Amino acid sequence: MAAATSRFTGRGSGSIIGGRLLLAVQPDALRTLVAGRPVTLVSGTNGKTTTTRLLADALLTRLTVATNASGANIAAALAATAAAPAQQLVLEVDELYLPQVLEETGADLVVLLDLSRDQLDRMNETQRVATLWRTALQRAARPPCVVANADDPLVAWVAEAVEHVIWVGTSDSWSHDSAACPHCGRLVRREADGWACDCGRRRQPPTYAAAGDTLQTPDGALPLALQLPGAVNAGNAAMAVAAAAMRGVAPADAVAVMEQVTSVGNRYRSYPVGDRTVRLLLAKNPAGWSELLPLLDRHSLIVIAINARAADGRDPSWLWDVPFEQLAGQTVVALGDRRVDLAVRLSVAGVDVVVADSLRAAMSHRPELGTVDVAANYTAFSDLASELRRAR
Amino acid sequence: VPGESRLRVIVLHPRLLGTYGDGGNALVLADRARRRGHDVDVVAVDGDAPVPQSGDIYLLGGGEDRAQVLATELLRGSGLVGVVQAGRPVLAVCAGLQILGHEFTDPAGVAAAGLGLLDLTSTRGAVRAIGEVVATPFDGLPVLTGYENHRGVTRLGPLASPLARVSIGTGNGDSGRTEGVVQGSVIGTYLHGPVLARNPALADRLLSAVLGPLDLLDDRLLERLRAERLRAAALSRHRGQWRRLASARGS
């Protein structure tokens, strides 16, 4: 009832208020609500929402699934999701909540995507998050099966805590947060066939791997023609296919479903605005932006929006870790609460930067370009998605 | 004379020391030198490569605890001592500052030997210092603005002088409300942001040590950023005071 009211009045997505009420009445609601149903958890710095969506869609071919599709991934939202009468739960979980949610749900399948710098005012250090995860897996009453990103040395170290690991090759290219081996502290070597450390740890041969437009699976190579763009989404799909296979969905069937997905939670969604088309894209941290920048259309007006609210992380220093030099010579409009921080960063990168106070002001630039790519971090993205929905 | 010689900026172990955007310090130095007509090389030193002695400005960034220990070991005997003894300008941020001192606390909570190039000792504080910092330099530079995210408490010995006095934030976390360090040609600070993007006068201090008197640049965008951050820091302090007052009344 509370959730229905909230949705009806248009305040918030509804799921968090419903979940908060539930948790206020019954603090261990999640534990009770799971009630013996199979639970899959998805966590990591980047790709949580997309991978969760791809996996849930694949599982839906065989079962009813409850999932927190809105990307609301904290305790209250998870409880609201678990209240749904579905055969299975697929939950996207915030990195810091994963230990608690693993304990409360007793999940038997955990998908670990990547760990890189993000919201450091809240996470403090990436290594700290890895240690929390590893400890949580070691303490699990019944250790889950882990679907692990083989290309991330931090995730590989976490996965050592369990016996049953499915390794997935994602071609994850961000290596700046795992320069030091999480086990021995030595320098991790980056080699042609992956990473390796003198302590003997190295990239494990993956059972599933995304490589261009094909997906390696135990059933052989499958063509992969996602509508979601970029290598990063091929990697997310590989992780989701591996997890779906653990739930009995054949890789070819999973891929067929995933190829139908055009946008996830408004990511990559296009909106007509006047006689222009606006495409909305999301990136939240240096690893995410590094994957996103090559996807921006150089023949569009490029708008970048940056906030630094609680959910974004209060410190946008990370803007200097993003290779914005790729946009040198390009006109880019800086938008969002921290548009001046962004503008300083872009100007040093050699970008022809304009500061705008609103989306409308941003859109007044380069009217001869029929398409606009708007790339934003988390809360800026949510605000712009609402604004574009209203404008339609 | 513009273009006559190349400015060499040496970035030490950016893979290990660069968690909080401190790589931006090299970008800002290069940008400010290029806009004044100088050619610039930014050289990264990684792995067990020796530290080149012919650099003009040396930079160390902040990093995670484990990476800090590894960077210290890689820098020991790497030639950085010669650089400091030769009086080359060095900017060391956060973990970089701690590495150059006598000792710091390692991830296991044990004192680890630093490089002993700065007369200071760092221990682990009770709480992590996270947030906007405003500090007034002792040597007449404009007020410093930055963001801190560390658990270090740094005490300066008699050979080291503090860079600034903290008015908002934690800085070194000592009883004197000091922030950072100046010793010889080395400047150390806890400020990220990165610090040179938010404090162009500090960047120019490093550049003028090499290039001599500098032309003025159009810094209107940077001044707008500085004004915005100083306002935000003052606001956050007032909010904090209000919260403390409210909770004191409530108890």
Side-chain angles (χ1 to χ4, degrees):
Chain A
M1 181 60 203
T5 306
S6 171
R7 261 199 300 275
F8 191 71
T9 55
R11 292 196 198 105
S13 66
S15 60
I16 294 190
I17 292 180
R20 275 196 191 127
L21 269 181
L22 212 55
L23 290 176
V25 178
Q26 193 184 353
D28 63 343
L30 189 56
R31 194 188 307 273
T32 318
L33 288 167
V34 164
R37 289 175 293 172
V39 178
T40 309
L41 306 181
V42 179
S43 196
T45 308
N46 287 300
K48 288 186 286 289
T49 303
T50 300
T51 306
T52 301
R53 164 71 187 279
L54 295 176
L55 173 58
D57 280 13
L59 297 188
L60 270 167
T61 59
R62 300 191 63 235
L63 304 151
T64 57
V65 177
T67 182
N68 46 336
S70 60
N73 60 19
I74 58 170
L78 299 183
T81 304
Q87 290 169 302
Q88 291 216 3
L89 300 175
V90 179
L91 303 177
E92 170 194 337
V93 188
D94 175 86
E95 297 91 292
L96 289 182
Y97 280 106
L98 184 65
Q100 183 191 336
V101 175
L102 177 64
E103 198 272 324
E104 291 185 358
T105 60
D108 61 346
L109 185 61
V110 177
V111 181
L112 300 180
L113 298 165
D114 78 313
L115 278 175
S116 67
R117 61 191 67 173
D118 186 31
Q119 301 175 54
L120 290 174
D121 59 323
R122 189 165 73 91
M123 310 278 180
N124 299 347
E125 293 194 349
T126 309
Q127 168 77 46
R128 168 176 166 256
V129 182
T131 305
L132 289 173
W133 281 10
R134 189 174 151 113
T135 309
L137 287 173
Q138 282 165 340
R139 286 185 185 155
R142 277 179 304 160
C145 167
V146 170
V147 175
N149 178 0
D151 289 301
D152 186 336
L154 285 175
V155 167
W157 179 73
V158 170
E160 286 174 11
V162 298
E163 211 163 288
H164 193 180
V165 182
I166 312 289
W167 296 104
V168 180
T170 59
S171 313
D172 187 355
S173 58
W174 182 263
S175 65
H176 302 286
D177 295 298
S178 51
C181 173
H183 174 73
C184 70
R186 274 175 281 204
L187 206 57
V188 174
R189 295 191 308 277
R190 302 281 161 170
E191 297 165 347
D193 58 345
W195 54 272
C197 178
D198 288 341
C199 70
R201 281 165 179 75
R202 57 169 46 251
R203 179 180 190 258
Q204 295 299 306
T207 308
Y208 297 81
D213 48 10
T214 55
L215 181 68
Q216 299 295 332
T217 76
D219 299 351
L222 297 174
L224 183 66
L226 295 175
Q227 297 187 59
L228 298 176
V232 60
N233 283 316
N236 291 335
M239 297 289 296
V241 169
M246 291 303 297
R247 297 294 191 202
V249 178
D253 297 343
V255 165
V257 172
M258 294 176 192
E259 287 176 344
Q260 305 305 310
V261 177
T262 56
S263 73
V264 176
N266 298 321
R267 294 161 177 79
Y268 317 108
R269 175 162 291 178
S270 287
Y271 301 82
V273 177
D275 52 2
R276 295 172 112 178
T277 303
V278 176
R279 181 172 67 147
L280 195 52
L281 304 107
L282 172 74
K284 296 181 283 192
N285 47 55
W289 281 99
S290 297
E291 303 282 5
L292 182 72
L293 288 182
L295 303 181
L296 294 179
D297 179 4
R298 272 41 175 187
H299 303 293
S300 294
L301 172 65
I302 296 175
V303 179
I304 299 179
I306 299 295
N307 286 352
R309 301 178 194 168
D312 303 304
R314 300 279 188 193
D315 175 20
S317 296
W318 56 265
L319 287 170
W320 294 85
D321 293 329
V322 178
F324 284 118
E325 283 71 14
Q326 290 176 25
L327 301 177
Q330 194 85 34
T331 299
V332 174
V333 185
L335 194 63
D337 297 347
R338 299 303 288 269
R339 55 191 176 275
V340 184
D341 296 73
L342 173 65
V344 168
R345 169 69 188 103
L346 291 174
S347 72
V348 168
V351 173
D352 180 14
V353 62
V354 191
V355 181
D357 296 344
S358 67
L359 181 61
R360 182 184 294 270
M363 297 273 293
S364 70
H365 294 280
R366 306 290 303 272
E368 75 280 11
L369 299 174
T371 50
V372 184
D373 265 357
V374 179
N377 71 339
Y378 192 69
T379 65
F381 176 90
S382 306
D383 287 356
L384 288 165
S386 313
E387 192 174 342
L388 286 165
R389 254 197 317 275
R390 281 197 305 272
R392 206 153 44 158
Chain B
V1 179
E4 203 168 62
S5 65
R6 301 183 74 83
L7 181 80
R8 280 175 41 100
V9 177
I10 314 290
V11 188
L12 300 173
H13 297 287
R15 285 186 63 199
L16 297 168
L17 303 174
T19 303
Y20 304 92
D22 299 322
N25 289 328
L27 301 176
V28 169
L29 284 176
D31 179 59
R32 298 184 73 76
R34 286 190 186 117
R35 282 160 67 195
R36 291 166 167 131
H38 298 276
D39 291 326
V40 184
D41 291 326
V42 175
V43 181
V45 174
D46 269 313
D48 44 20
V51 174
Q53 302 294 302
S54 59
D56 293 307
I57 300 174
Y58 294 76
L59 302 174
L60 289 116
E64 302 202 348
D65 291 347
R66 197 180 268 279
Q68 176 176 350
V69 173
L70 177 53
T72 310
E73 291 321 307
L74 291 168
L75 284 169
R76 207 182 293 287
S78 67
L80 185 58
V81 179
V83 166
V84 173
Q85 282 168 349
R88 309 280 172 144
V90 179
L91 175 71
V93 179
C94 201
L97 173 162
Q98 297 184 0
I99 286 170
L100 298 187
H102 300 302
E103 61 178 49
F104 59 86
T105 307
D106 77 2
V110 179
L115 300 181
L117 296 172
L118 292 177
D119 187 17
L120 59 84
T121 300
S122 302
T123 53
R124 191 175 284 227
V127 289
R128 202 174 174 92
I130 304 171
E132 295 281 343
V133 181
V134 177
T136 307
F138 288 105
D139 63 357
L141 279 177
V143 65
L144 297 174
T145 156
Y147 197 95
E148 63 184 339
N149 189 345
H150 65 99
R151 226 181 124 179
V153 172
T154 294
R155 289 187 179 79
L156 306 184
L159 300 179
S161 308
L163 172 66
R165 175 92 61 211
V166 174
S167 55
I168 298 173
T170 301
N172 293 342
D174 60 352
S175 53
R177 302 273 295 152
T178 66
E179 152 48 32
V181 58
V182 181
Q183 185 175 339
S185 62
V186 182
I187 297 175
T189 177
Y190 272 108
L191 301 191
H192 302 286
V195 65
L196 297 186
R198 285 169 62 160
N199 302 282
L202 188 60
D204 285 354
R205 161 80 43 108
L206 292 165
L207 286 172
S208 64
V210 181
L211 302 172
L214 300 171
D215 299 336
L216 288 175
L217 296 178
D218 176 359
D219 278 336
R220 278 175 295 182
L221 193 58
L222 285 173
E223 289 306 328
R224 184 174 166 189
L225 175 61
R226 284 174 57 77
E228 197 175 285
R229 295 332 303 153
L230 289 170
R231 231 178 7 251
L235 205 65
S236 73
R237 180 174 61 171
H238 289 141
R239 282 206 199 101
Q241 284 170 339
W242 180 247
R243 261 199 303 276
R244 278 192 295 279
L245 192 66
S247 65
R249 278 185 183 163
S251 65

